[in-house]
Amino acid sequence: ASQLQELFKQIGQCAIRREHMQAFLEHKNPFEPKATGLFDLDSFFGDGWSIVGERKVLPERWSPRMLTGISALNKGEKSVTGTETKRRLKHKQLLGVEAFWDCWNTQDQIPEKLKRKTIFFDGDVLQYIHGCRTSLYLFWDGGRWCWGNRWVSDYRREHHVSALAS
């Protein structure tokens, strides 16, 4: 059921490729990234995607064990857009796609306390050829880490945090 939900979400975000549908029809997880070296946008999403601006470089001596999250909500707020989150946190060293990829490939190193959060890697924004802009994120779903990408203009709530290195 979670894969079907993810499938429809990815369709809505213009991120579905033929390979995703083929894997789904073969009862495989169509969104299981293949771990190979540095994050490769074309291999991960397919043609038509780019990273807006320069890619964020991982901090020296980086490890997913250093991952922490920060919320952009002000006291009394229930939600804020991803766009506003990025504006409010512009002076922070937000982690991007390389940190996402490293965390995805070494999930056992992600701190336990983050299993209650949705972790956005806002340091880098992905843009599709038709203009939609998204951020990658990780979330804990019933015993395993899952990933997604969400429109930057979507609202975020108190359990949504932006990735930082502690």
Side-chain angles (χ1 to χ4, degrees), residues 55-60 62-64 66-70 86 92-100 103 119-125 135-136 162-166:
R55 287 168 95 148
K56 295 291 182 189
V57 177
L58 287 173
E60 198 172 315
W62 157 256
S63 162
M66 300 167 61
L67 185 66
T68 187
I70 184 170
K86 288 184 63 62
K92 302 286 184 184
Q93 294 288 324
L94 299 177
L95 297 173
V97 297
E98 299 304 341
F100 163 83
C103 289
I119 311 157
F120 284 86
F121 292 81
D122 289 320
D124 294 313
V125 172
S135 289
L136 286 166
S162 293
L164 294 172
S166 60

Side-chain angles (χ1 to χ4, degrees), residues 97-109:
V97 297
E98 299 304 341
F100 163 83
W101 192 235
D102 204 22
C103 289
W104 179 256
N105 291 308
T106 54
Q107 296 174 16
D108 60 320
Q109 294 183 27

Side-chain angles (χ1 to χ4, degrees), residues 20-35:
H20 292 126
M21 290 303 298
Q22 184 65 41
F24 183 78
L25 293 172
E26 293 172 359
H27 304 286
K28 298 175 184 172
N29 183 350
F31 306 107
E32 192 75 33
K34 294 165 184 61

Side-chain angles (χ1 to χ4, degrees), residues 3-4 11 28 49 70 74 111 134 138 145 148 153:
Q3 288 180 14
L4 189 55
I11 288 170
K28 298 175 184 172
W49 286 90
I70 184 170
N74 291 325
T134 67
L138 292 174
W145 285 101
S153 59

Side-chain angles (χ1 to χ4, degrees), residues 9 100 118-120 135-139 146-150:
K9 186 182 87 181
F100 163 83
T118 299
I119 311 157
F120 284 86
S135 289
L136 286 166
Y137 65 90
L138 292 174
F139 65 100
C146 300
W147 71 273
N149 65 320
R150 186 178 230 172

Side-chain angles (χ1 to χ4, degrees), residues 5 14 40 44 47 53 59 62 75 80 92 94-96 110-111 113 122-123 128 139 146 158 164:
Q5 287 176 328
C14 310
D40 179 21
F44 199 73
D47 294 337
W62 157 256
K75 189 175 180 176
V80 64
K92 302 286 184 184
L94 299 177
L95 297 173
I110 299 173
K113 66 183 178 185
D122 289 320
Y128 191 59
F139 65 100
C146 300
E158 66 184 66
L164 294 172

Side-chain angles (χ1 to χ4, degrees), residues 142-160:
R144 68 184 184 100
W145 285 101
C146 300
W147 71 273
N149 65 320
R150 186 178 230 172
W151 292 356
V152 176
S153 59
D154 281 355
Y155 281 91
R156 300 189 187 171
R157 307 219 172 353
E158 66 184 66
H159 66 280
H160 296 146

